[in-house]
Amino acid sequence: MTKYKTEFKEKVVKEYLKGNVSYKDLAKKYSIPDKSTVRRWVNAYESQGYDGLEVKRKNKKYTLEFKLNTVNLYLTGEMSYQNLANELKINNPSIIARWVKEFREEGIEGLKAKKGGRPSNMPSTDKNKNLKTKSNKIKEELSEVEKLREENYWLQMEVDILKKKIQFSQMTESEIDEYLRSLNH
């Protein structure tokens, strides 16, 4: 994927916002491979301003809890990938799509950070059996704490969803439409 300078993206976005030109026409005019790229830039600019167009040199790390909240918001049908990305200040909605796919395929494990790099070819030695035994006990305890945190998280999510359902059930259709429109801006 070609990286574009922030100033170039801003120029394209501002041309679109002036009106009278479509995503497709701009993509063609500036030799951008796909109109969805222009649309993504416009959405990022509208939700985050100039910062939304900046090329990030470092990948942002998201916590497991953040990913779970985001996936849950999408799965409850409240927001689209683009709306969530705008709301959560994520430049690329496809990140959320990937999280949802991984969650559907692997559950919470799919959202956990992946270990990078090559596996070690060094043979393991059993010189420190006591350390390994203690290490295993600590890992088991941490695993139990993690399970409890996960259970707590899901219970909290259920409460939040029920609160939202109650809130929406008490709203008229026009109030719901107005609320959804406010999420898009």
Side-chain angles (χ1 to χ4, degrees):
M1 176 183 215
T2 306
K3 297 280 185 182
Y4 298 94
K5 294 189 180 215
T6 309
E7 292 74 22
F8 171 75
K9 291 180 191 179
E10 185 179 35
K11 175 183 173 184
V12 173
V13 166
K14 286 189 175 180
E15 190 171 332
Y16 174 80
L17 293 175
K18 285 180 186 173
N20 301 331
V21 63
S22 67
Y23 296 132
K24 185 177 180 179
D25 292 338
L26 283 170
K28 193 176 204 179
K29 177 179 178 181
Y30 292 106
S31 301
I32 300 168
D34 190 18
K35 68 180 181 180
S36 66
T37 303
V38 177
R39 183 177 62 237
R40 194 170 59 245
W41 293 348
V42 170
N43 278 320
Y45 184 80
E46 287 179 330
S47 67
Q48 301 172 47
Y50 185 81
D51 290 343
L53 299 176
E54 284 187 310
V55 176
K56 308 293 189 263
R57 294 289 175 218
K58 210 172 191 182
N59 288 339
K60 184 165 182 186
K61 303 282 186 206
Y62 297 99
T63 65
L64 176 61
E65 184 177 354
F66 180 83
K67 291 178 185 180
L68 278 169
N69 283 331
T70 305
V71 167
N72 191 53
L73 281 172
Y74 176 77
L75 292 176
T76 57
E78 291 181 31
M79 297 177 145
S80 68
Y81 293 134
Q82 186 64 60
N83 289 342
L84 274 171
N86 291 345
E87 196 70 25
L88 300 172
K89 308 260 188 267
I90 298 173
N91 284 353
N92 193 345
S94 65
I95 292 171
I96 299 169
R98 188 182 72 232
W99 293 344
V100 170
K101 180 179 182 270
E102 289 171 344
F103 180 78
R104 285 182 171 152
E105 290 174 357
E106 303 174 44
I108 291 177
E109 290 299 315
L111 297 178
K112 289 184 179 175
K114 314 293 189 281
K115 184 178 177 186
R118 296 165 107 185
S120 173
N121 289 333
M122 295 295 292
S124 63
T125 59
D126 287 336
K127 290 180 181 176
N128 300 321
K129 284 188 180 181
N130 283 344
L131 283 177
K132 283 189 176 184
T133 305
K134 287 180 183 177
S135 175
N136 285 341
K137 286 181 183 177
I138 291 171
K139 284 180 183 176
E140 287 173 14
E141 288 173 7
L142 287 175
S143 177
E144 182 65 25
V145 169
E146 189 173 317
K147 285 178 188 174
L148 291 171
R149 282 188 179 145
E150 184 179 319
E151 182 181 352
N152 187 33
Y153 169 79
W154 284 111
L155 291 171
Q156 185 61 50
M157 291 301 279
E158 284 182 40
V159 169
D160 292 346
I161 289 169
L162 290 171
K163 285 180 181 177
K164 274 285 187 206
K165 283 185 177 183
I166 290 170
Q167 178 187 357
F168 279 123
S169 70
Q170 295 172 347
M171 295 171 78
T172 65
E173 196 170 312
S174 61
E175 289 174 327
I176 292 171
D177 288 343
E178 185 178 322
Y179 172 76
L180 293 175
R181 268 190 249 107
S182 73
L183 294 176
N184 291 332
H185 297 292

mmCIF file of all heavy atoms in Angstrom, residues 42-49 52 82 85-87 89-90:
data_model
loop_
_atom_site.group_PDB
_atom_site.id
_atom_site.type_symbol
_atom_site.label_atom_id
_atom_site.label_comp_id
_atom_site.label_asym_id
_atom_site.label_seq_id
_atom_site.Cartn_x
_atom_site.Cartn_y
_atom_site.Cartn_z
ATOM 1 N N VAL A 42 -11.595 11.133 4.134
ATOM 2 C CA VAL A 42 -12.626 12.139 4.444
ATOM 3 C C VAL A 42 -13.227 11.844 5.817
ATOM 4 O O VAL A 42 -13.371 12.746 6.650
ATOM 5 C CB VAL A 42 -13.716 12.179 3.345
ATOM 6 C CG1 VAL A 42 -14.904 13.035 3.785
ATOM 7 C CG2 VAL A 42 -13.132 12.693 2.037
ATOM 8 N N ASN A 43 -13.559 10.578 6.077
ATOM 9 C CA ASN A 43 -14.122 10.209 7.386
ATOM 10 C C ASN A 43 -13.140 10.502 8.511
ATOM 11 O O ASN A 43 -13.523 11.021 9.558
ATOM 12 C CB ASN A 43 -14.503 8.724 7.412
ATOM 13 C CG ASN A 43 -15.854 8.485 6.783
ATOM 14 O OD1 ASN A 43 -16.777 9.253 6.978
ATOM 15 N ND2 ASN A 43 -15.955 7.426 6.005
ATOM 16 N N ALA A 44 -11.873 10.161 8.303
ATOM 17 C CA ALA A 44 -10.853 10.406 9.323
ATOM 18 C C ALA A 44 -10.707 11.906 9.573
ATOM 19 O O ALA A 44 -10.595 12.346 10.722
ATOM 20 C CB ALA A 44 -9.519 9.803 8.902
ATOM 21 N N TYR A 45 -10.739 12.693 8.513
ATOM 22 C CA TYR A 45 -10.593 14.136 8.653
ATOM 23 C C TYR A 45 -11.806 14.732 9.371
ATOM 24 O O TYR A 45 -11.667 15.595 10.242
ATOM 25 C CB TYR A 45 -10.426 14.785 7.272
ATOM 26 C CG TYR A 45 -10.165 16.267 7.332
ATOM 27 C CD1 TYR A 45 -8.894 16.754 7.616
ATOM 28 C CD2 TYR A 45 -11.184 17.181 7.114
ATOM 29 C CE1 TYR A 45 -8.645 18.113 7.676
ATOM 30 C CE2 TYR A 45 -10.956 18.542 7.172
ATOM 31 C CZ TYR A 45 -9.679 19.010 7.447
ATOM 32 O OH TYR A 45 -9.440 20.350 7.517
ATOM 33 N N GLU A 46 -12.996 14.262 9.017
ATOM 34 C CA GLU A 46 -14.207 14.793 9.637
ATOM 35 C C GLU A 46 -14.287 14.437 11.125
ATOM 36 O O GLU A 46 -14.789 15.213 11.921
ATOM 37 C CB GLU A 46 -15.453 14.273 8.919
ATOM 38 C CG GLU A 46 -15.658 14.916 7.571
ATOM 39 C CD GLU A 46 -16.879 14.395 6.838
ATOM 40 O OE1 GLU A 46 -17.262 13.228 7.021
ATOM 41 O OE2 GLU A 46 -17.440 15.178 6.046
ATOM 42 N N SER A 47 -13.791 13.267 11.494
ATOM 43 C CA SER A 47 -13.903 12.869 12.902
ATOM 44 C C SER A 47 -12.709 13.304 13.754
ATOM 45 O O SER A 47 -12.856 13.526 14.947
ATOM 46 C CB SER A 47 -14.093 11.357 13.025
ATOM 47 O OG SER A 47 -12.932 10.677 12.608
ATOM 48 N N GLN A 48 -11.504 13.424 13.138
ATOM 49 C CA GLN A 48 -10.313 13.707 13.929
ATOM 50 C C GLN A 48 -9.535 14.931 13.462
ATOM 51 O O GLN A 48 -8.508 15.267 14.036
ATOM 52 C CB GLN A 48 -9.376 12.503 13.894
ATOM 53 C CG GLN A 48 -9.995 11.233 14.429
ATOM 54 C CD GLN A 48 -9.103 10.040 14.205
ATOM 55 O OE1 GLN A 48 -7.917 10.115 14.476
ATOM 56 N NE2 GLN A 48 -9.658 8.968 13.698
ATOM 57 N N GLY A 49 -9.984 15.546 12.390
ATOM 58 C CA GLY A 49 -9.266 16.697 11.864
ATOM 59 C C GLY A 49 -7.969 16.290 11.193
ATOM 60 O O GLY A 49 -7.811 15.157 10.737
ATOM 61 N N GLY A 52 -6.208 12.973 12.006
ATOM 62 C CA GLY A 52 -6.735 11.737 11.427
ATOM 63 C C GLY A 52 -6.070 11.363 10.120
ATOM 64 O O GLY A 52 -6.134 10.209 9.692
ATOM 65 N N GLN A 82 -17.166 1.910 10.391
ATOM 66 C CA GLN A 82 -16.751 3.296 10.179
ATOM 67 C C GLN A 82 -17.149 4.186 11.346
ATOM 68 O O GLN A 82 -16.352 4.987 11.818
ATOM 69 C CB GLN A 82 -17.351 3.832 8.873
ATOM 70 C CG GLN A 82 -16.847 5.214 8.507
ATOM 71 C CD GLN A 82 -15.356 5.232 8.234
ATOM 72 O OE1 GLN A 82 -14.887 4.540 7.345
ATOM 73 N NE2 GLN A 82 -14.596 6.013 8.986
ATOM 74 N N ALA A 85 -14.912 3.449 14.258
ATOM 75 C CA ALA A 85 -13.573 3.992 14.012
ATOM 76 C C ALA A 85 -13.570 5.498 14.261
ATOM 77 O O ALA A 85 -12.653 6.024 14.899
ATOM 78 C CB ALA A 85 -13.118 3.670 12.595
ATOM 79 N N ASN A 86 -14.585 6.185 13.773
ATOM 80 C CA ASN A 86 -14.677 7.634 13.983
ATOM 81 C C ASN A 86 -14.795 7.958 15.468
ATOM 82 O O ASN A 86 -14.112 8.844 15.971
ATOM 83 C CB ASN A 86 -15.874 8.217 13.243
ATOM 84 C CG ASN A 86 -15.709 8.183 11.740
ATOM 85 O OD1 ASN A 86 -14.616 7.978 11.223
ATOM 86 N ND2 ASN A 86 -16.793 8.353 11.030
ATOM 87 N N GLU A 87 -15.658 7.241 16.151
ATOM 88 C CA GLU A 87 -15.921 7.499 17.554
ATOM 89 C C GLU A 87 -14.692 7.218 18.427
ATOM 90 O O GLU A 87 -14.406 7.947 19.368
ATOM 91 C CB GLU A 87 -17.096 6.626 18.021
ATOM 92 C CG GLU A 87 -17.719 7.041 19.306
ATOM 93 C CD GLU A 87 -18.496 8.340 19.227
ATOM 94 O OE1 GLU A 87 -18.978 8.719 18.151
ATOM 95 O OE2 GLU A 87 -18.592 8.991 20.272
ATOM 96 N N LYS A 89 -11.539 7.101 17.388
ATOM 97 C CA LYS A 89 -10.331 7.724 16.831
ATOM 98 C C LYS A 89 -9.342 6.671 16.300
ATOM 99 O O LYS A 89 -8.137 6.746 16.526
ATOM 100 C CB LYS A 89 -9.639 8.611 17.866
ATOM 101 C CG LYS A 89 -10.554 9.625 18.517
ATOM 102 C CD LYS A 89 -10.411 10.977 17.912
ATOM 103 C CE LYS A 89 -11.166 12.044 18.647
ATOM 104 N NZ LYS A 89 -12.481 12.288 18.167
ATOM 105 N N ILE A 90 -9.898 5.687 15.580
ATOM 106 C CA ILE A 90 -9.083 4.685 14.899
ATOM 107 C C ILE A 90 -9.125 5.049 13.419
ATOM 108 O O ILE A 90 -10.201 5.143 12.835
ATOM 109 C CB ILE A 90 -9.646 3.263 15.123
ATOM 110 C CG1 ILE A 90 -9.606 2.911 16.604
ATOM 111 C CG2 ILE A 90 -8.874 2.239 14.302
ATOM 112 C CD1 ILE A 90 -10.280 1.597 16.955
#
